[in-house]
């Protein structure tokens, strides 16, 4: 199907299969062993895309502590996605669930002449925020554990949002599989928000339409990696085409099979993949290390990434043992990312070196 | 259904509470749930129960024209007024009028078809009365159609909405059904109950076209 008919006048008559069709698929791999929870990706995205009125509570990129309720609160219990190929009912997350946008007394503190006695604080008594349970994690001392889970829209191969929209307002771009919401066609019905099992779609109250991560497509079109990836100081966000056999994405997902989609059982075939966290061993009752048990219960990782996590962890550990013994590992070299630009496949263009676009 | 010709001033006819409307005979139109089988979304089909769709089951319809403009007044019982959309799970009450754009046999339960478009007048509750003229060529294809101006006024009180639509009789090709004294058109109605999460194809509607005869 031609791009013009997808985005132009004919889009309302396209079949869902046509709207899902893509020649190639861009993807990301997040190495959870490297995420330090600094929220730089979150702020990079916020600064670039969600500063307008109606977008105050939106965080297209989030990083949450796991185990934890996440953003929106308890999103994993909100349904959506597919069960045996049939759409599953989902809940509409509320602004409160997302943590809303707190309002602060900036005026009073900075400009009201009370700088010495007024403290900067949110108005009211917030009881939830986008990263509210950041410092909780799971387990009991001395076997407490946590890790960070960065999330963006999964730009799924079988998007529940696309399937749900009665107006064909959602489509995958033919050239790269990026899932977009057409602002011309969206009427703010919010079935997509119900249907997305990852709860990564937001409703803009000012414009009465749904909005979400766009994989920074205007940057991607210029060979620039998405802002969340390029700004990440941890070198953990790989970007590239899934079918590029020389690129790190293909190696991590298809060759070494150490990068897995989040909650594959939701049935949407996400295109964001995660290298699961390797954990130190547990302490036993007498305070000695028990090498037989990982600190992060494997059962919990299976809950997040499915049964293939066992194989992924085994491969990572085997490759680590190999290098410990003095050997070489293509997998670990890929994950280490000696050269920063190796993260980004064909998207290494420095945005500062681009000519400004003509109006 | 008769659309009587009246000499009443337009600002009175535009007022849903004007006493003149009590002199205009109305017709109670039964509404039913939109069939889930018709919904253009597998998600909507799978996630809804038809018994829960279409909370409003009756709408009172009164119509009048003054030779230049037509006024259509819809009123229905609604104990809960849903106007503000400040949370993601809030939806406004709304209503609509539907007519085959070219007078042909457009399917009412599918919002017309590619060959037989329908003309929809849509009002939804809000801080200001907002009404749109739209054209659809089938389910999920509704688009705003420029130029034809629909005005609407609404009042909610005593557990009921009253909404008046007003539009010039003369239509425009491709955008607005052409009306004239002495002419008959087919017409249908729909109501969305915001508190029931009704929006898009999830609504109650008159399952068959009615004939609206404009008095010469």
């Amino acid at each position: 199907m031609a791009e013009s008919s997808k985005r132009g006048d004919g889009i309302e008559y396209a079949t869902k299969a046509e709207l899902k069709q893509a020649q190639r698929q861009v993807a990301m791999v997040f190495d959870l062993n490297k995420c330090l929870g600094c929220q730089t990706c979150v702020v990079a995205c916020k600064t670039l895309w969600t500063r307008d009125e109606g977008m105050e509570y939106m965080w297209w990129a989030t990083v949450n502590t796991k185990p934890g309720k996440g953003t929106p609160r308890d999103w994993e219990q909100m349904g959506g996605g597919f069960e045996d190929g049939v759409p599953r009912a989902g809940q509409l997350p509320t602004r409160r669930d997302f943590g809303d946008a707190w309002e602060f007394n900036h005026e009073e503190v900075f400009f009201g002449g009370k700088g010495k006695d007024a403290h900067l604080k949110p108005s009211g008594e917030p009881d939830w925020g986008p990263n509210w349970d950041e410092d909780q994690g799971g387990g009991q001392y001395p076997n407490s554990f946590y890790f960070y889970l960065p999330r963006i829209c999964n730009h799924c191969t079988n998007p529940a949002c696309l399937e749900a929209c009665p107006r064909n307002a959602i489509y995958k771009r033919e050239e790269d599989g990026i899932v977009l919401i057409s602002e011309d066609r969206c009427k703010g019905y919010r079935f997509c928000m119900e249907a997305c099992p990852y709860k990564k779609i937001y409703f803009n109250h000012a414009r009465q339409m749904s909005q979400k991560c766009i994989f920074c497509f205007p940057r991607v079109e210029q060979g620039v990696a998405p802002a969340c990836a390029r700004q990440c100081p941890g070198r953990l966000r790989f970007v590239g085409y899934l079918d590029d056999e020389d690129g790190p994405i293909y190696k991590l997902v298809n060759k070494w099979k150490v990068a897995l989609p989040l909650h594959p059982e939701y049935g949407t075939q996400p295109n964001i993949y995660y290298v699961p966290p390797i954990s130190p061993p547990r302490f036993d009752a007498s305070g000695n290390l028990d090498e037989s048990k990982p600190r992060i219960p494997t059962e919990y990782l299976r809950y997040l990434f499915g049964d293939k996590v066992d194989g992924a962890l085994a491969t990572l550990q085997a490759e680590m043992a190999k290098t410990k013994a003095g050997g070489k590992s293509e997998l670990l070299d890929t994950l280490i990312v000696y050269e920063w630009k190796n993260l980004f496949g064909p998207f290494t263009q420095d945005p500062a070196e681009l000519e400004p676009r003509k109006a | 259904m008769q659309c009587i010709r009246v000499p009443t001033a337009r600002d009175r006819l535009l007022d849903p509470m004007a006493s003149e409307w009590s002199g205009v005979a109305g017709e109670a139109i039964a509404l039913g749930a939109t069939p889930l089988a018709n919904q253009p979304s597998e998600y909507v089909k799978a996630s809804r129960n038809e018994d829960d769709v279409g909370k409003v089951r009756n709408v009172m319809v009164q119509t009048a024209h003054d030779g230049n403009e037509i006024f259509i007044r819809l009123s229905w019982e609604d104990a809960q007024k849903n106007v503000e959309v400040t949370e993601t799970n809030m939806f406004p009450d709304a209503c609509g009028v539907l007519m085959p754009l070219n007078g042909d046999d457009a399917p009412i339960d599918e919002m017309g078809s590619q060959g037989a478009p329908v003309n929809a007048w849509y009002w939804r509750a809000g801080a200001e009365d907002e009404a749109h003229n739209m054209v659809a060529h089938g389910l999920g294809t509704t688009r705003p159609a420029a130029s034809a101006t629909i005005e609407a006024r609404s009042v909610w009180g005593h557990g009921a909405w009253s909404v008046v639509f007003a539009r010039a009789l003369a239509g425009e090709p491709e955008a607005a059904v052409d009306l004239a004294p002495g002419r008959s058109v087919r017409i249908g109605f729909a109501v969305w109950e915001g508190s029931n999460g009704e929006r898009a194809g999830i609504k109650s509607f008159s399952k068959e076209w009615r004939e609206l005869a404009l008095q010469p």
Side-chain angles (χ1 to χ4, degrees):
Chain A
M1 185 185 184
E3 187 61 25
S4 57
S5 58
K6 252 186 209 178
R7 305 178 75 173
D9 285 345
I11 188 172
E12 57 261 60
Y13 305 117
T15 64
K16 293 295 189 192
E18 286 170 327
L19 296 174
K20 279 191 262 187
Q21 217 171 63
Q23 302 299 328
R24 295 192 89 182
Q25 180 66 53
V26 286
M28 285 201 208
V29 169
F30 298 166
D31 182 354
L32 297 185
N33 294 291
K34 293 169 120 183
C35 182
L36 44 136
C38 67
Q39 308 284 343
T40 307
C41 53
V42 174
V43 174
C45 174
K46 183 79 189 163
T47 308
L48 192 55
W49 296 116
T50 61
R51 294 174 66 174
D52 290 347
E53 192 194 347
M55 304 176 107
E56 295 88 347
Y57 80 105
M58 295 185 193
W59 299 92
W60 292 352
T62 48
V63 178
N64 281 115
T65 299
K66 285 304 233 179
K69 290 179 175 173
T71 305
R73 173 168 40 195
D74 287 324
W75 62 271
E76 287 157 301
Q77 274 79 55
M78 286 186 175
F82 301 90
E83 211 161 4
D84 302 323
V86 178
R88 185 172 65 136
Q91 286 175 36
L92 265 176
T94 63
R95 252 161 69 163
R96 278 181 61 84
D97 292 331
F98 280 109
D100 218 333
W102 300 357
E103 284 180 20
F104 288 82
N105 54 338
H106 291 119
E107 199 63 33
E108 182 187 25
V109 174
F110 296 127
F111 309 107
K114 293 187 187 169
K116 287 187 176 167
D117 43 38
H119 292 280
L120 189 66
K121 59 177 198 294
S123 59
E125 292 287 331
D127 59 2
W128 190 249
N131 200 23
W132 186 265
D133 51 2
E134 138 113 65
D135 56 358
Q136 293 179 21
Q140 289 294 321
Y141 179 84
N143 287 313
S144 40
F145 68 92
Y146 74 94
F147 56 92
Y148 292 110
L149 186 72
R151 300 202 300 127
I152 62 172
C153 165
N154 281 302
H155 296 277
C156 303
T157 297
N158 184 31
C161 57
L162 185 157
E163 194 69 53
C165 180
R167 290 185 53 79
N168 277 4
I170 306 183
Y171 61 97
K172 282 179 83 67
R173 299 211 314 172
E174 182 138 42
E175 62 270 40
D176 52 24
I178 293 174
V179 176
L180 293 182
I181 301 174
S182 160
E183 294 196 344
D184 291 339
R185 293 210 51 75
C186 177
K187 289 206 164 208
Y189 293 148
R190 288 160 267 171
F191 294 115
C192 55
M193 284 180 80
E194 282 184 32
C196 173
Y198 299 96
K199 300 302 167 199
K200 268 294 170 196
I201 301 181
Y202 298 79
F203 181 63
N204 184 320
H205 298 264
R207 299 183 63 196
Q208 296 285 304
M209 62 170 64
S210 297
Q211 295 178 318
K212 64 165 202 71
C213 159
I214 58 173
F215 208 93
C216 286
F217 75 84
R219 290 168 65 104
V220 164
E221 285 173 0
Q222 302 288 315
V224 181
C228 61
R230 197 176 160 92
Q231 298 292 313
C232 172
R235 298 193 184 187
L236 64 101
R237 296 166 91 103
F238 297 85
V239 186
Y241 289 102
L242 205 49
D243 64 0
D244 177 4
E245 295 189 14
D246 298 325
I249 302 269
Y250 181 89
K251 283 183 187 161
L252 296 171
V253 174
N254 292 311
K255 185 176 175 189
W256 290 95
K257 301 188 193 309
V258 294
L260 304 166
L262 179 62
H263 288 299
E265 75 278 12
Y266 291 169
T268 63
Q269 300 171 48
N271 287 301
I272 307 299
Y273 298 83
Y274 295 88
V275 179
I278 297 170
S279 50
R282 290 175 66 86
F283 290 101
D284 66 17
S286 38
N288 297 316
L289 284 178
D290 175 2
E291 300 274 356
S292 70
K293 286 184 189 144
R295 187 86 65 86
I296 303 173
T298 308
E299 196 49 51
Y300 182 63
L301 296 179
R302 284 188 202 119
Y303 161 70
L304 291 177
F305 305 111
D307 291 344
K308 289 183 180 165
V309 83
D310 292 84
L313 291 169
T315 301
L316 288 164
Q317 273 150 356
E319 290 299 302
M320 285 166 72
K322 201 159 90 181
T323 54
K324 244 183 193 170
K328 283 227 156 238
S329 165
E330 181 201 43
L331 171 58
L332 292 190
D333 283 351
T334 305
L335 288 171
I336 287 165
V337 190
Y338 292 107
E339 289 287 335
W340 175 64
K341 286 192 168 183
N342 291 348
L343 282 164
F344 304 135
F347 305 111
T348 55
Q349 172 68 47
D350 180 352
E353 288 170 2
L354 289 171
E355 289 289 313
R357 272 194 179 177
K358 292 190 178 69
Chain B
M1 193 181 282
Q2 288 295 317
C3 178
I4 57 165
R5 187 170 191 145
V6 293
T8 316
R10 92 178 287 272
D11 62 327
R12 297 295 293 163
L13 289 170
L14 253 181
D15 177 359
M17 290 294 116
S19 54
E20 283 84 347
W21 279 110
S22 56
V24 177
E27 192 173 329
I29 304 285
L31 304 178
T34 43
L36 277 185
N38 276 10
Q39 298 293 329
S41 159
E42 291 304 316
Y43 172 80
V44 172
K45 282 185 203 177
S47 62
R48 262 66 185 174
N49 180 341
E50 204 161 296
D51 295 342
D52 299 333
V53 173
K55 208 172 170 192
V56 175
R57 290 300 165 112
N58 255 295
V59 63
M60 175 63 73
V61 179
Q62 296 161 281
T63 63
H65 76 86
D66 61 9
N68 295 312
E69 277 182 287
I70 185 168
F71 300 85
I72 302 179
R73 182 179 187 270
L74 306 185
S75 52
W76 67 96
E77 285 180 17
D78 185 353
Q80 193 179 336
K81 176 186 178 185
N82 302 101
V83 175
E84 298 296 327
V85 182
T86 53
E87 247 305 357
T88 56
N89 55 3
M90 294 165 77
F91 296 90
D93 296 324
C95 68
V97 173
L98 198 70
M99 287 172 264
L101 185 57
N102 303 320
D104 47 20
D105 202 17
I108 190 171
D109 54 350
E110 289 176 10
M111 292 292 286
S113 65
Q114 282 200 51
V118 288
N119 183 198
W121 304 0
Y122 174 76
W123 164 89
R124 77 170 161 206
E128 287 170 28
D129 276 313
E130 200 186 324
H132 299 283
N133 182 60
M134 326 239 258
V135 170
H137 292 76
L139 296 165
T141 68
T142 315
R143 274 183 183 272
S147 61
T149 305
I150 311 279
E151 268 185 81
R153 297 278 188 284
S154 68
V155 172
W156 183 89
H158 305 290
W161 275 112
S162 301
V163 177
V164 172
F165 288 98
R167 204 208 74 183
L169 289 175
E172 290 187 34
E174 317 270 304
V177 64
D178 196 39
L179 304 169
R183 189 173 294 174
S184 275
V185 290
R186 268 170 291 180
I187 191 163
F189 309 94
V191 176
W192 290 261
E193 174 52 51
S195 66
N196 196 36
E198 295 184 10
R199 72 273 199 193
I202 297 295
K203 64 191 175 194
S204 47
F205 80 123
S206 55
K207 297 196 168 193
E208 285 158 6
W209 293 116
R210 302 297 174 118
E211 205 71 24
L212 178 70
L214 279 75
Q215 191 179 358

